[in-house]
Amino acid sequence: MPDTVHVASGKVREIYALDDERLLLVASDRISTFDVVLPTEIPDKGRVLTGLSAFWFARTKHIVPNHLLGLRDDARSTECRRLAMLPVECVVRGYITGSGWKDYLASGEVCGHRLPEGLRESERLPEPIFTPSTKAQTGHDENITREQAAELVGADRLVEVERVALELYRFAAAYAEARGIILADTKFELGLDEDSCLVLADEVFTPDSSRFWPADAFAPGGPQASFDKQYVRDYCESVGWDKTYPGPELPDDVVAETRAKYVEAFQRLTGVSFDDFLADPEVVLQ
Ligand SMILES: Nc1ncnc2c1ncn2[C@@H]1O[C@H](COP(=O)(O)OP(=O)(O)OP(=O)(O)O)[C@@H](O)[C@H]1O
Ligand SMILES: [Mg+2]
C-alpha cells in the first residue's frame, strides 16, 4: 500500500494513516486472551470483527456519529476518521460476569455502583450500568469509578459518554435479544473530532469487545456458553497457562470451533451470510 504509512500495531489491528484526517484499520486474525496475543490465528476473525462493527456503525448513527468512512474489498480493512481517542474504555454491563463479578464478590460494588445483595454469577442487573476502565498502554485495563473517569476526560464529557454508552448498549441488547442472543456486556472506544464532537470509533458489538450468550441456554448461577472469546479463554486456562507471554498454541479443533462461533455470531446478528459479506463487504451497511 504505497499511499499509506504504518502508524501503529494494536494487539489485533494494524493502523495506517491515509492522510492527516483518515486512518486505515486492518483487522488481523490475531486473537488475544488476558491481554496476550496467542501464537495461533483464527482464520477470518478479522473479517468478522470488521463486518460486525460496520453493521452496527450503520445502525447506531442516530445515537452518536461514528468514524466509519468505508470498507475495502478484502473485508478486513476499514477507512475511518482519525480521532483523538479518549483515555478511557467505556464498558456497559447488563449482566454480572467477568471482572464485574469479581469486583462484586469482593465489595458488593462495580466501579462505584452498589448492586443488590445476593446476585448470582451471570444474573441480569436491574439496570445496565456504565463501568469505565483505564486504557492501559501495556498490561491489563483496570476498572475505575465514574469520578476517576471524570478526572481523565472531564466531568461534562463523561456525562455525555455515559449517556451515549448506555443508549448504545440498550439499542444493541434489544436488537440481539430479538435474535436469540444476550449482549451481556460490551466495551466502546470513543474519540473527539476536530470540532471536539464525540465520535464512536474502533470496533462495536463484536465478539472481541462484547460477551454474547445464546439466550436459549441462559442459566444464571455460573459462567455461560458464549459466541465470543470465552471459549478460547477457557481452553487457555484448562492447559494451566499462567496468563503471561507467550500464550499457548491452539489445537486445530479449538481454532475451527472458535472460527465457527465468530461466524455464527456474525450471521445471527446481521442476518447476512458470511459468504455474501466476503463477496461484497458493504452489504452490511444496507
Ligand atoms: N478512529 C480512530 N482514530 C484513532 N485511533 C483509533 C480509531 N479507532 C480505533 N483506534 C485505535 O486503534 C487501535 C486498534 O487496535 P487494536 O484493537 O488492535 O488495539 P488494542 O490491542 O485493543 O489496544 P491497544 O491500543 O492497547 O494496542 C486502538 O488503540 C484504538 O484506540
Ligand atoms: Mg482493540
Side-chain angles (χ1 to χ4, degrees):
M1 284 179 287
D3 55 334
T4 61
V5 179
H6 186 249
V7 287
S9 291
K11 287 187 284 293
V12 170
R13 290 172 182 76
E14 297 301 328
I15 300 120
Y16 299 87
L18 295 171
D19 52 43
D20 289 348
E21 284 92 43
R22 297 179 307 144
L23 294 178
L24 188 69
L25 293 186
V26 183
S28 74
D29 291 335
R30 298 191 290 266
I31 186 163
S32 71
T33 51
F34 306 105
D35 292 321
V36 175
V37 177
L38 300 181
T40 314
E41 296 193 336
I42 308 297
D44 290 326
K45 172 177 172 287
R47 296 191 168 97
V48 167
L49 304 183
T50 300
L52 267 174
S53 294
F55 172 83
W56 291 111
F57 283 134
R59 280 158 186 80
T60 56
K61 283 184 276 194
H62 62 290
I63 299 173
V64 61
N66 62 63
H67 76 171
L68 179 70
L69 296 172
L71 296 180
R72 293 210 170 164
D73 288 344
D74 63 4
R76 63 168 80 244
S77 301
T78 303
E79 294 184 9
C80 64
R81 290 200 271 160
R82 189 174 196 165
L83 303 170
M85 301 303 288
L86 296 180
V88 288
E89 307 265 4
C90 303
V91 179
V92 177
R93 300 168 192 274
Y95 294 72
I96 188 78
T97 180
S99 68
W101 172 243
K102 289 199 179 100
D103 290 354
Y104 171 73
L105 285 181
S107 67
E109 295 187 3
V110 183
C111 299
H113 297 274
R114 177 138 290 276
L115 298 178
E117 280 173 34
L119 290 177
R120 292 166 298 161
E121 183 175 2
S122 307
E123 201 162 328
R124 187 177 190 141
L125 296 170
E127 289 293 330
I129 54 174
F130 176 65
T131 60
S133 67
T134 58
K135 214 165 177 277
Q137 292 306 315
T138 53
H140 303 294
D141 297 336
E142 271 174 49
N143 290 342
I144 53 177
T145 63
R146 281 174 290 170
E147 289 70 29
Q148 289 169 305
E151 281 169 28
L152 292 170
V153 304
D156 291 346
R157 185 67 75 185
L158 191 76
V159 170
E160 184 187 13
V161 167
E162 174 165 3
R163 177 180 56 72
V164 163
L166 288 170
E167 211 175 316
L168 287 168
Y169 173 84
R170 285 203 173 88
F171 173 83
Y175 194 103
E177 199 169 314
R179 283 149 190 85
I181 293 181
I182 292 172
L183 175 61
D185 56 28
T186 196
K187 182 208 79 178
F188 309 107
E189 292 191 35
L190 292 137
L192 302 180
D193 69 11
E194 60 285 355
D195 300 320
S196 280
C197 290
L198 193 66
V199 179
L200 182 61
D202 201 54
E203 61 177 331
V204 243
F205 304 125
T206 71
D208 272 15
S209 67
S210 315
R211 287 191 174 85
F212 292 130
W213 296 336
D216 55 7
F218 180 57
Q224 305 299 302
S226 74
F227 290 112
D228 56 57
K229 286 208 274 203
Q230 195 59 44
Y231 175 72
V232 173
R233 289 190 196 105
D234 292 347
Y235 172 80
C236 291
E237 292 197 295
S238 76
V239 294
W241 175 48
D242 64 1
K243 301 180 190 169
T244 62
Y245 179 85
E249 300 265 3
L250 303 177
D252 290 349
D253 60 323
V254 173
V255 171
E257 181 69 8
T258 304
R259 182 185 181 281
K261 284 175 184 285
Y262 273 72
V263 170
E264 185 174 359
F266 174 95
Q267 297 190 144
R268 276 175 73 161
L269 288 167
T270 64
V272 172
S273 93
F274 192 58
D275 286 343
D276 288 351
F277 165 65
L278 296 183
D280 174 14
E282 295 204 336
V283 289
V284 294
L285 305 180
Q286 287 147 27

